[in-house]
Amino acid sequence: MERSLSGKIIVKGKIECLTGLHVGATKENMEIGAIDAPVVRDPVTREPYIPGSSLKGKFRSLLEKALAKQPNRNIGSDVKVHVCSNKESANNCEVCRVFGSTGKKEGEKEGSNFPARLIVRDSYLTSESVEKLSEIDTGLQYTEWKFENAIDRVTSAANPRQLERVPKGAEFSFELVYNVEDTSKAEEDLKNLKLAIDLLAMDSLGGHGSRGYGKVKFHYDCIKGIPVEYLKDETKGQIREVKSLDEIKEVLEIFKNGTSAKGQ
Ligand SMILES: [Zn+2]
């Protein structure tokens, strides 16, 4: 199976926190005497951010459920996810061809990986939010903390802990890059991406969603299509830009007349 690149579709915008957001840091990054559950931060600027992997994982799991993909791979602690185990089935799967698969059939030496068509960048606070959050006085940098009292359902013992979160109202810049490889599937893929984004708005990002954390809203700044021909020679091909994923058909037009449509 040949994979060729017709171009890129770049989706940019902002993620607005409608409630406090907790995207947790790993235990290794915790400082002694620190808050029980800190948020993940950029090691250089110390600003909280949303790792691309967290956002991508959330999109993927929401889409798997919405498209009723059967979970078939155990990833530990009784958690099963859906992964197509070879390139051919991944290419025909609405989830795996967008989010990738690391398939490996028994007896295969090389994994039959299908690299994701979608790249999800890390999302950083907008400069306006950095400024706004610098002014809040919580003793923490850019964040607030909240006591959560979890009750053990069996022993009834209280387990109070401090959760750090990015306050409501904060905004992060997001960027998604979709590789246009198969123009016949691109429209469906981008519709599914929009579905995942819409579902996330009705779900939650990060931890403690059932306690009200992580309600987010996506605001689009632009959706831009850039054919490879244009990158090679600006007099050939053209860029097209729209304001919403509902207008994605218009962007995809510029890839249909392309000469780089081999491998389909
Ligand atoms: Zn699949």
Side-chain angles (χ1 to χ4, degrees):
M1 188 182 57
E2 197 177 354
R3 289 179 75 165
S4 63
L5 185 71
S6 299
K8 302 268 181 184
I9 291 177
I10 299 167
V11 183
K12 281 187 182 183
K14 288 177 191 71
I15 299 171
E16 181 189 358
C17 299
L18 299 180
T19 62
L21 174 72
H22 175 88
V23 178
T26 54
K27 290 257 193 269
E28 298 94 75
N29 300 334
M30 277 176 69
E31 292 149 32
I32 293 169
I35 210 154
D36 297 333
V39 297
V40 60
R41 288 176 185 271
D42 181 282
V44 177
T45 63
R46 304 297 298 151
E47 289 167 18
Y49 74 105
I50 305 168
S53 55
S54 302
L55 199 53
K56 189 179 170 200
K58 190 73 203 190
F59 285 150
R60 182 180 187 130
S61 73
L62 289 168
L63 200 60
E64 279 174 15
K65 282 181 203 140
L67 302 179
K69 293 283 169 187
Q70 289 309 308
N72 55 2
R73 189 175 299 177
N74 220 318
I75 54 165
S77 350
D78 277 335
V79 181
K80 268 190 164 186
V81 294
H82 160 85
V83 185
C84 285
S85 59
N86 65 68
K87 284 181 201 169
E88 283 66 34
S89 53
N91 191 42
N92 288 314
C93 170
E94 305 94 311
V95 173
C96 292
R97 67 173 184 245
V98 174
F99 295 97
S101 74
T102 48
K104 201 174 183 182
K105 267 189 185 165
E106 246 173 85
E108 272 183 347
K109 266 202 213 124
E110 291 288 309
S112 182
N113 291 352
F114 190 93
R117 284 186 182 150
L118 183 72
I119 298 164
V120 182
R121 307 258 192 234
D122 292 342
S123 299
Y124 292 97
L125 283 170
T126 62
S127 44
E128 292 83 10
S129 282
V130 168
E131 205 174 310
K132 236 201 285 184
L133 295 177
S134 310
E135 290 163 11
I136 60 165
D137 185 17
T138 58
L140 295 168
Q141 215 176 347
Y142 311 112
T143 56
E144 60 184 4
W145 57 269
K146 193 170 175 286
F147 259 115
E148 293 289 352
N149 206 354
I151 307 290
D152 189 307
R153 298 268 175 261
V154 179
T155 64
S156 297
N159 176 28
R161 39 186 221 139
Q162 289 169 298
L163 290 178
E164 184 181 26
R165 59 183 199 176
V166 176
K168 161 189 167 188
E171 284 189 332
F172 294 86
S173 297
F174 76 86
E175 184 179 314
L176 312 170
V177 181
Y178 173 80
N179 286 321
V180 184
E181 293 176 357
D182 178 349
T183 49
S184 70
K185 303 263 170 60
E187 189 180 348
E188 191 184 16
D189 287 353
L190 288 151
K191 274 187 176 162
N192 283 331
L193 176 62
K194 184 183 178 291
L195 174 62
I197 293 172
D198 290 347
L199 286 168
L200 180 49
M202 289 174 237
D203 200 269
S204 62
L205 182 61
H208 311 280
S210 67
R211 295 162 181 250
Y213 288 52
K215 182 176 183 187
V216 291
K217 186 173 180 183
F218 282 77
H219 301 272
Y220 298 98
D221 290 335
C222 69
I223 292 106
K224 196 190 274 186
I226 310 168
V228 167
E229 295 100 88
Y230 177 87
L231 293 172
K232 288 183 195 154
D233 178 355
E234 288 190 15
T235 62
K236 291 178 188 148
Q238 54 158 323
I239 287 181
R240 194 168 284 177
E241 202 175 310
V242 294
K243 291 281 173 203
S244 140
L245 272 175
D246 293 322
E247 300 164 79
I248 197 64
K249 258 189 155 159
E250 209 179 300
V251 174
L252 291 171
E253 291 286 309
I254 57 171
F255 299 103
K256 291 208 170 116
N257 316 317
T259 49
S260 58
K262 62 174 184 163
Q264 287 171 38

